Amino acid sequence: MYYFDNSATTLIKPPQVAEAVYHAIQNQTIGNPARGSHAPALQALRQVEQTRMKIARLFKVQDASQISFTSNATFAFNLLLKSLLKATDAVITTKNEHNSVLRPLYQLEKEGMQLDFLALDEMGRVRLDQLESLLKENTKAIIINHMSNVTGQMINLKKVGVFCQKHRILLIVDAAQSAGVVPIDMVEMHIDALCFTGHKSLYGPQGTGGIVLNHSNLNLETVFSGGSGSHSYDKEMPQQMPGFFEPGTLNVHGLAGLEAGLDYVAQQSVESIQKKLQELTLFFLEKVSSVPEIQVYGCNLQQIKKNPQEHGAIVSLNLVGWSSGDLADILYEDYDICVRSGAHCAPLVHQHFQTVDRGMVRFSFSSFNTNEEINAAIQALTELALEN
Ligand SMILES: Cc1ncc(COP(=O)(O)O)c(C=O)c1O
């Protein structure tokens, strides 16, 4: 089987990830963190804090206690946005956003918050030149997707960060697609908050993710509350990170796996993973761009050759004469190739490229893919194009 749906989730994980989850249960040493002083409770706490430290290292933040774990990026965004934003605020976001950002923002918009969108250009790149014109007196934050899960187009975060600093607004980043494959320095890029998911390019188990704050002076309100293991007689949740966003028992077994995934990424280095993915993407794109029956969206060979750092390992396309669903089905049935078809949880990108009805077929690569595998995809697409 050829697996090219890594933007949905990475299927092939480093073996030590599964081993870590297995041992976290099998060794009978992981209790409930912060819920006791016996060895299993302390070992669980140690596990959580070790993983937190490694997330801090990945995103280059000083204070690991400003990181809360959630079950994925979607939960992270719901918590963060609903905790931070008020009906009197305005925010700027982009047409490249995933529904995990859009839907919480639409909910807040219903309550009165103002929402403005940066448009996309013909390549699906966010029109950062519109930032100035969208600024309002009450603009509180820019919420921006680092890497589109549809086109792979990326944002120059440093540029947006400098703009946010100048205008004293917050920069909140969706790093679901970029964490682990693109270097992110939250301090240097002036990122105030970031949400990530563990099961994509960090190679962790599903059910892991989190919120990373760069400082402690955000004015946050409680969204979810419950058991916290401390301040048990207070009616409210403790107001300090990380517990503030962590009511209930954490997925410690999953976090053991995430730690192993983070170790793998650190051993390989984000930079070398990025370089390998750029080579794979360029190889694929060079071949598919030369097939006249294939239309590629928001991914231009010349742009990638010139500025590979502007693009992730994601290529979405359609083939003349095929619906995206039928193409993905035949790729799987006849060629054993796994890709995603249809709409990709980013409705405004599909509106932009006029693929609302047809959808797109998305190929997304991981560092476990090889040139040989990509060749199989190219051959399958070329064969199907010739059948037309
Ligand atoms: C850009 C982007 N943001 C957020 C998410 C949500 O991630 P999760 O489903 O892990 O919450 C995804 C998932 O595909 C994504 O691609």
Side-chain angles (χ1 to χ4, degrees), residues 7 72-74 98 100 145 149 174 176-177 197 199-200:
S7 283
N72 51 41
T74 305
H98 189 274
S100 62
N145 185 357
N149 59 303
D174 179 354
Q177 292 295 340
T197 202
H199 64 97
K200 298 184 195 275

Side-chain angles (χ1 to χ4, degrees), residues 31-63:
N32 200 328
R35 305 293 198 275
S37 54
H38 48 74
L42 294 177
Q43 184 55 24
L45 189 59
R46 211 168 283 130
Q47 176 60 68
V48 173
E49 298 313 321
Q50 264 167 222
T51 312
R52 236 192 271 288
M53 297 284 283
K54 289 179 183 177
I55 289 288
R57 220 169 286 155
L58 179 73
F59 297 119
K60 310 264 191 312
V61 287
Q62 298 291 328
D63 185 359

